[in-house]
Amino acid sequence: MIKLYGMTGSGNCWKPAALLRLLGQPFEWIETSTLAGETRKPEFLALNANGRVPLLQFDDGRLLAESNAMLCHFAEGSAYLPAPGYERSKVLEWLFFEQYSHEPYIATVRFWIHFLGKREAWRDRIAEASIRGRAALGVMEQRLAAHDFLAGDFSIADIALYAYTHVADEGDFDLTPFPAVRAWLARCEAQAGFVPMRLP
Amino acid sequence: MIKLYGMTGSGNCWKPAALLRLLGQPFEWIETSTLAGETRKPEFLALNANGRVPLLQFDDGRLLAESNAMLCHFAEGSAYLPAPGYERSKVLEWLFFEQYSHEPYIATVRFWIHFLGKREAWRDRIAEASIRGRAALGVMEQRLAAHDFLAGDFSIADIALYAYTHVADEGDFDLTPFPAVRAWLARCEAQAGFVPMRLP
């Protein structure tokens, strides 16, 4: 069975788990805590030199890192990833947006506040990163004000952006000014088989 | 003809230009300077709400952002992107690695030093980001010590990582401790049709 190394509460780790559940594909979850330093141990670094979860191991031992690469891998041929062409490329655009313009601010501020308890100690860097996080939410709001989903129908782009957007409050992000984002979160959760993040 | 909005000297903007040249596909380059604030003007934000280059516009007016999404778009069906399956997913793994673990440190430090002239003024943040940049180079070194390219044969993974690695010296990164990376840069440059970044 596929092994998925991940940390409960991590949006990046939740993404492939959520897609595998949507697809009805069983997997073994191996709890691996970055907070406890488990991704920096030699035995883990031998699997992923970049020292990060999620990490996927197939039955034959082959490995795959990067949550959004996993989403593309498993979504291939399913309704969650359009066939090659412009529509697929727009899904990919949002996946790269997520890792470059959204996650480094929204997920990171949440990590500092919710997991490390640095709300007061790191006030300045939190303020600076939060500006960029709100900018990312603004980009989503503009798209979602006129469309139900980020790229065509419900896709892995929505799964990727849902991950940290729906727990943005844990990073003190207020979604009140983003009504289209809030309505979209509800549309994601209404998908058949959608499992929220409180489970891994 | 395809329009490519980009800034000369930006690795992200060079990527799709390099691939289009490798494929022999003509395009129109529209110089768009982030330094001069051109990506924050209303007329540009109307094209890309995220306010970034590169930005691609097809003949029919449709738009595509995110350099690595462009690489996937144009490489589809070519030798630069394997067919769907594990090999393709490893290419995607490196593309996401580039945007999350490499570019935010190596490209950003280069930007601070080479374009903004902040080597002295931002000494502390440069030191902090440089540690992570060297870690990313270390991950590449480990892979390239045993393989000619990042994922299978020469692919868009190599184009994406070449972009900022080969100008890492402009961010004061010393590639001397990374001999496999240096040998790989030369292998990339030896590809037929490969155009270095000094042109856009």
Side-chain angles (χ1 to χ4, degrees):
Chain A
M1 192 182 298
I2 291 166
K3 288 181 182 151
L4 183 55
Y5 296 82
M7 184 173 81
T8 301
S10 154
N12 283 330
C13 297
W14 168 84
K15 291 177 201 170
L19 177 59
L20 288 167
R21 289 198 173 102
L22 280 166
L23 295 168
Q25 188 161 336
F27 63 94
E28 179 187 358
W29 177 269
I30 301 172
E31 186 69 27
T32 309
S33 172
T34 58
L35 290 167
E38 290 173 357
T39 53
R40 296 288 157 182
K41 289 183 178 171
E43 56 268 34
F44 187 84
L45 289 170
L47 299 178
N48 182 7
N50 202 25
R52 297 184 193 276
V53 281
L55 179 69
L56 198 88
Q57 188 160 35
F58 296 95
D59 289 347
D60 60 8
R62 292 191 297 181
L63 296 153
L64 184 64
E66 298 293 336
S67 58
N68 290 355
M70 296 175 196
L71 291 181
C72 293
H73 184 88
F74 290 113
E76 185 70 50
S78 81
Y80 305 117
L81 180 63
Y86 183 71
E87 287 187 20
R88 168 176 296 208
S89 299
K90 293 301 279 187
V91 169
L92 288 164
E93 177 187 293
W94 282 105
L95 294 182
F96 286 108
F97 167 87
E98 192 264 342
Q99 285 289 284
Y100 193 82
S101 298
H102 184 284
E103 204 268 11
Y105 308 108
I106 293 177
T108 299
V109 170
R110 171 184 178 250
F111 187 76
W112 292 341
I113 291 176
H114 187 67
F115 289 93
L116 301 186
K118 298 289 188 184
R119 180 181 282 121
E120 303 304 327
W122 292 358
R123 183 181 291 274
D124 288 349
R125 68 163 69 182
I126 287 171
E128 190 180 338
S130 296
I131 292 170
R132 293 182 176 227
R134 285 191 295 274
L137 293 169
V139 172
M140 295 172 67
E141 179 72 14
Q142 189 169 327
R143 161 73 194 182
L144 294 166
H147 300 86
D148 280 354
F149 295 105
L150 291 169
D153 297 328
F154 178 78
S155 74
I156 54 173
D158 301 292
I159 296 173
L161 270 306
Y162 177 91
Y164 287 108
T165 304
H166 95 289
V167 290
D169 62 302
E170 294 176 354
D172 291 351
F173 289 96
D174 177 12
L175 293 189
T176 307
F178 305 102
V181 170
R182 286 185 284 117
W184 162 81
L185 288 174
R187 279 193 295 277
C188 290
E189 289 160 4
Q191 297 295 310
F194 196 84
V195 177
M197 199 169 109
R198 310 299 167 171
L199 294 172
Chain B
M1 193 184 296
I2 292 167
K3 287 180 183 152
L4 183 56
Y5 296 82
M7 184 173 81
T8 301
S10 154
N12 284 329
C13 297
W14 168 84
K15 292 176 200 170
L19 178 58
L20 287 167
R21 289 197 174 103
L22 280 165
L23 294 168
Q25 188 162 338
F27 62 95
E28 178 187 358
W29 177 269
I30 300 173
E31 186 68 29
T32 309
S33 171
T34 58
L35 289 166
E38 290 173 355
T39 54
R40 296 288 158 181
K41 290 183 176 171
E43 56 269 33
F44 187 84
L45 289 170
L47 299 177
N48 182 7
N50 202 25
R52 295 185 194 278
V53 281
L55 178 70
L56 198 88
Q57 189 161 34
F58 296 95
D59 289 347
D60 60 7
R62 292 191 297 182
L63 296 153
L64 185 63
E66 298 294 335
S67 58
N68 288 356
M70 296 174 195
L71 291 182
C72 292
H73 184 88
F74 290 112
E76 185 71 49
S78 81
Y80 304 116
L81 180 62
Y86 183 72
E87 285 187 21
R88 168 176 295 207
S89 299
K90 294 300 278 187
V91 170
L92 287 164
E93 178 187 294
W94 282 105
L95 294 182
F96 287 108
F97 166 87
E98 191 266 340
Q99 285 288 283
Y100 193 83
S101 297
H102 183 285
E103 203 272 9
Y105 308 108
I106 293 176
T108 299
V109 170
R110 170 183 178 251
F111 188 74
W112 292 341
I113 291 175
H114 188 68
F115 289 93
L116 301 185
K118 298 288 188 184
R119 179 181 282 122
E120 302 305 325
W122 292 358
R123 183 181 292 273
D124 288 350
R125 66 163 68 183
I126 287 171
E128 190 180 336
S130 296
I131 292 169
R132 294 183 175 226
R134 285 190 295 272
L137 293 169
V139 172
M140 294 172 67
E141 180 72 14
Q142 190 168 325
R143 161 73 194 180
L144 293 166
H147 301 85
D148 280 353
F149 296 105
L150 291 169
D153 297 329
F154 178 77
S155 75
I156 54 173
D158 301 293
I159 295 173
L161 270 305
Y162 176 89
Y164 287 108
T165 303
H166 96 288
V167 289
D169 62 300
E170 295 176 353
D172 291 350
F173 289 96
D174 176 12
L175 294 188
T176 308
F178 306 103
V181 169
R182 285 185 285 118
W184 161 82
L185 288 174
R187 279 193 295 277
C188 290
E189 289 160 2
Q191 296 294 311
F194 196 84
V195 177
M197 199 168 108
R198 310 299 167 170
L199 293 173

